[in-house]
Amino acid sequence: MKYLPNAVIFLTVLVLGVVNFTPGTYLTGWDNLHPEFNFLLNIKRSLFAVWQEYQGLGLLGGMGHAADLPRQIFLYILSIFMPDMYVRYFWTMLTLFVGGLGAYFLARDFVIRKSTLIGRLWATLSGVFYILNLSTVQQYFVPFETFTSHFAVLPWILWSTLLFLSGPTLRRYALMFLIFLLSAPSYYVPTLFVVTSLILAVISVSHVLAHKNVQSFFSSFKIFFALFITNAFWLLPFVYFTVINSQVAVTNKINQMATQTIFLENKQHGNLLEVPLLKSFWFEKIDPDLEGRFNYLFLPWREHLSNPLILILGYLLFAVVIIGAIRAAREKNWLNSAYLGIFIFSLIMLLSSVPPFSFIVDLLRKVVPLFGQAFRFPFTKFSIALSLFYALFFSAGALWISKRFSFEKVPQRVVLLLSGLAIFLFMLPAIGGNLFYKKEKIAIPQEYSDTFKFFRKNGKNTRIANFPQHTFWGWNYYKWGYGGSGFLWYGIDQPILDRAFDPWSRQNENYYWEISQAVYSRDLPQFAKILEKYQISWLLSDQNVISPVSPKSVFTEEFETMLVA
């Protein structure tokens, strides 16, 4: 029975993996990383990540590109044992298992604190809740590696930090150091590093204030020293970009058009009805389905939550979380204070339409424009941390309820079983095959692999202009189902002038305005001058690219006719 909790979490993830897997497809779309298209190429780019040569005209890396290096190396080794198309499936499900197991260890050692079988089963409830909640579904429905990695490592970061603080030995420090290092892929979007740092700051400050001695201060210093050293390889290049070029990310066309809208979408759902359920703007997203018809992205989940009984169940689960939080507040020790601090801060960041919390967030956005840009998606940045503390407080609250009603002769195991059943019922669509968006599971046509092979053999020191260039958004849809920020450059060494890179470079954005003007005015002489100006050697026209909202704007036939003429 020693490994029963591990088995429960493994079986939960295994069932999710089996029912949500579609053989013969890639898990791809929306924001995605695909190093499996050419592992050695992408590993090389991560090793030399300060300057992103392949991104259009070349630019300073505006994200934590090098941070993905540990994951890429792991996947490269993994690819020896499985087809490339299944590598991303495996990684995504692995993060679910690792995160759930981490939540179990964190709850077992620093929340429940009981080594008996029943104690470990209560901790298992935290692991299951962390895997099965609406926040997790919204992070995994259209998975992006930085968020799935953050889900996996955050419980382990907290567990190793608390283990070190409870007895600061060299062995425990080495373990924490290793976990910090392996956590790097979660910081591909560097704002998640800020979130992790804030969480560790709350824990460290609470520890120092509680113990008030030199050792507690130096232990906290060692934590942040390890955090910096293990992440310096990607953090220093990003800091350099922030100092030199961050204004570009604020003032480029895409972000000028999108940032305020995105924040308002988040704010619309940052209310007292939806945040308790961990529900967000994702439920309002519209997307063309595989037949080209526009519908809600989260349609199966919207239908599930339209059932009043399911909604009531969701609020009951939140009520148990609140009971657990209240119990933590009453116990009054430094660790519970830290838990509550992180829990409340994460809630404030999500409750962006509820005064006075909304005033705090709005003030930060006005005073620090870079804050507004970095945290325009507060849900994606803070919901994982919040869901983790939901999970911890849920098991604590359910345990208290089981003890409170022990006089009614209701065994703890009955309450435990009912709690687990409630979680599964609330998250039933995930078990029914809706953990991933159906459009994320698609077969990529062979012609793209052929294109990758062609450019491996031809024109090493050249630049590619891809077409159509019908929108500045850097988000394309394809006849065969893909919709997202793009994928060609993961398999092609040559720089590609794609709109996905415009947020980090004015020069790339200026190219777009010039080339679109020449194409849509059918000005062939001007078009030729632009090719010469930007040293473009290849024109890559993809007839699979479509525009569901404005089919004629793609201009593919007209463009190719212009070239022939």
Side-chain angles (χ1 to χ4, degrees):
M1 303 297 281
K2 180 180 179 181
Y3 297 104
L4 181 59
N6 308 45
V8 170
I9 292 169
F10 176 77
L11 287 173
T12 301
V13 175
L14 181 63
V15 169
L16 288 172
V18 170
V19 300
N20 287 282
F21 173 65
T22 302
T25 65
Y26 282 86
L27 185 63
T28 185
W30 286 69
D31 288 317
N32 47 234
L33 303 179
H34 280 295
E36 67 270 24
F37 291 167
N38 190 330
F39 276 113
L40 294 180
L41 170 64
N42 288 284
I43 289 172
K44 183 183 77 172
R45 287 172 176 172
S46 294
L47 288 170
F48 302 97
V50 176
W51 181 256
Q52 298 290 307
E53 179 66 25
Y54 71 96
Q55 296 194 11
L57 301 169
L59 50 84
L60 278 176
M63 301 182 75
H65 296 281
D68 201 43
L69 182 60
R71 191 184 72 91
Q72 291 171 353
I73 294 172
F74 171 76
L75 294 184
Y76 184 36
I77 297 169
L78 182 66
S79 68
I80 299 171
F81 307 100
M82 67 172 56
D84 287 347
M85 69 167 55
Y86 299 147
V87 164
R88 195 165 187 251
Y89 271 112
F90 183 85
W91 168 262
T92 304
M93 299 313 298
L94 179 64
T95 58
L96 265 182
F97 173 68
V98 172
L101 195 63
Y104 158 70
F105 275 97
L106 182 61
R108 185 196 70 180
D109 295 341
F110 298 105
V111 177
I112 305 300
R113 300 185 184 92
K114 290 183 179 180
S115 58
T116 61
L117 176 60
I118 190 67
R120 287 185 286 118
L121 288 175
W122 281 112
T124 306
L125 194 64
S126 287
V128 172
F129 191 103
Y130 187 50
I131 294 169
L132 291 172
N133 63 79
L134 283 186
S135 168
T136 302
V137 166
Q138 288 164 98
Q139 301 290 359
Y140 279 76
F141 203 66
V142 285
F144 185 22
E145 282 74 2
T146 187
F147 297 120
T148 56
S149 298
H150 188 59
F151 175 90
V153 300
L154 184 59
W156 291 103
I157 289 172
L158 294 181
W159 176 80
S160 62
T161 299
L162 294 175
L163 189 67
F164 173 70
L165 289 176
S166 66
T169 64
L170 182 60
R171 183 177 179 179
R172 290 182 175 185
Y173 190 69
L175 176 62
M176 182 181 70
F177 193 94
L178 177 62
I179 289 174
F180 283 4
L181 180 61
L182 296 176
S183 302
S186 66
Y187 308 131
Y188 187 89
V189 173
T191 43
L192 289 175
F193 182 76
V194 178
V195 173
T196 299
S197 300
L198 288 172
I199 290 171
L200 292 181
V202 171
I203 290 173
S204 297
V205 169
S206 299
H207 183 259
V208 170
L209 291 177
H211 294 82
K212 296 178 182 178
N213 56 43
V214 175
Q215 181 180 341
S216 64
F217 175 81
F218 277 108
S219 294
S220 298
F221 173 79
K222 289 175 183 177
I223 291 169
F224 282 93
F225 178 77
L227 185 67
F228 172 76
I229 291 297
T230 53
N231 289 280
F233 71 100
W234 69 264
L235 182 60
L236 292 178
F238 175 73
V239 170
Y240 180 71
F241 167 84
T242 303
V243 173
I244 299 297
N245 216 31
S246 62
Q247 197 59 28
V248 173
V250 177
T251 60
N252 74 83
K253 178 70 172 180
I254 292 175
N255 286 338
Q256 280 185 338
M257 295 291 289
T259 296
Q260 185 64 13
T261 301
I262 289 168
F263 178 74
L264 290 176
E265 286 176 347
N266 276 262
K267 192 169 186 176
Q268 179 187 354
H269 297 275
N271 55 63
L272 292 173
L273 289 177
E274 294 179 271
V275 171
L277 299 176
L278 295 174
K279 185 182 173 187
S280 79
F281 67 94
W282 281 111
F283 279 78
E284 299 299 324
K285 286 290 183 183
I286 304 291
D287 194 60
D289 60 23
L290 291 171
E291 286 74 42
R293 298 168 300 194
F294 281 88
N295 215 326
Y296 286 108
L297 183 73
F298 273 75
L299 182 61
W301 287 94
R302 287 176 63 93
E303 292 173 347
H304 179 63
L305 292 180
S306 66
N307 185 333
L309 294 177
I310 296 297
L311 273 181
I312 292 170
L313 180 60
Y315 288 119
L316 286 175
L317 293 175
F318 178 68
V320 177
V321 171
I322 294 301
I323 290 171
I326 292 171
R327 294 302 303 168
R330 288 184 174 179
E331 288 181 10
K332 292 183 180 179
N333 59 62
W334 76 268
L335 187 52
N336 283 343
S337 298
Y339 288 163
L340 287 167
I342 299 165
F343 176 71
I344 292 169
F345 180 75
S346 299
L347 270 177
I348 289 173
M349 292 304 297
L350 264 59
L351 289 169
S352 51
S353 68
V354 179
F357 310 130
S358 57
F359 303 148
I360 298 171
V361 176
D362 290 342
L363 180 63
L364 286 171
R365 283 172 50 81
K366 289 178 182 178
V367 175
V368 187
L370 194 59
F371 174 89
Q373 178 61 37
F375 292 103
R376 59 183 182 164
F377 283 108
F379 182 83
T380 59
K381 307 305 186 299
F382 291 96
S383 65
I384 293 175
L386 184 58
S387 69
L388 175 59
F389 284 92
Y390 266 44
L392 298 178
F393 287 144
F394 180 81
S395 60
L399 175 59
W400 179 83
I401 290 172
S402 72
K403 291 179 177 178
R404 176 68 179 81
F405 291 98
S406 60
F407 66 90
E408 300 287 350
K409 296 185 179 180
V410 178
Q412 279 195 33
R413 294 187 183 187
V414 172
V415 178
L416 181 65
L417 185 63
L418 290 174
S419 299
L421 182 61
I423 293 170
F424 278 93
L425 285 175
F426 187 63
M427 300 301 296
L428 203 56
I431 304 165
N434 289 294
L435 178 64
F436 302 132
Y437 184 29
K438 282 182 169 48
K439 273 183 64 177
E440 288 277 300
K441 300 180 287 186
I442 49 178
I444 299 178
Q446 179 61 34
E447 59 205 73
Y448 292 95
S449 296
D450 295 340
T451 302
F452 296 160
K453 292 175 184 176
F454 174 85
F455 281 109
R456 279 183 204 146
K457 299 175 182 178
N458 297 279
K460 288 293 183 183
N461 298 310
T462 56
R463 179 173 288 118
I464 302 168
N466 61 325
F467 294 90
Q469 292 289 337
H470 59 294
T471 176
F472 63 83
W473 282 110
W475 196 268
N476 288 321
Y477 295 96
Y478 292 72
K479 293 177 182 177
W480 43 274
Y482 179 91
S485 58
F487 59 90
L488 288 175
W489 45 90
Y490 296 109
I492 296 177
D493 192 3
Q494 292 85 341
I496 302 176
L497 284 156
D498 192 270
R499 305 284 59 77
F501 310 134
D502 288 1
W504 321 112
S505 168
R506 287 194 182 95
Q507 290 73 25
N508 280 343
E509 188 176 278
N510 289 339
Y511 158 79
Y512 166 74
W513 300 119
E514 293 178 42
I515 202 70
S516 61
Q517 171 67 24
V519 169
Y520 285 94
S521 62
R522 308 190 195 197
D523 189 340
L524 191 56
Q526 182 63 24
F527 182 80
K529 288 180 182 179
I530 294 169
L531 298 187
E532 182 179 0
K533 174 182 177 180
Y534 291 102
Q535 299 178 316
I536 295 167
S537 303
W538 303 94
L539 304 181
L540 181 59
S541 180
D542 192 340
Q543 296 183 355
N544 288 316
V545 175
I546 59 174
S547 175
V549 294
S550 180
K552 292 184 179 180
S553 69
V554 178
F555 221 62
T556 300
E557 291 183 10
E558 293 86 346
F559 170 68
E560 293 180 357
T561 301
M562 181 185 78
L563 293 182
V564 172

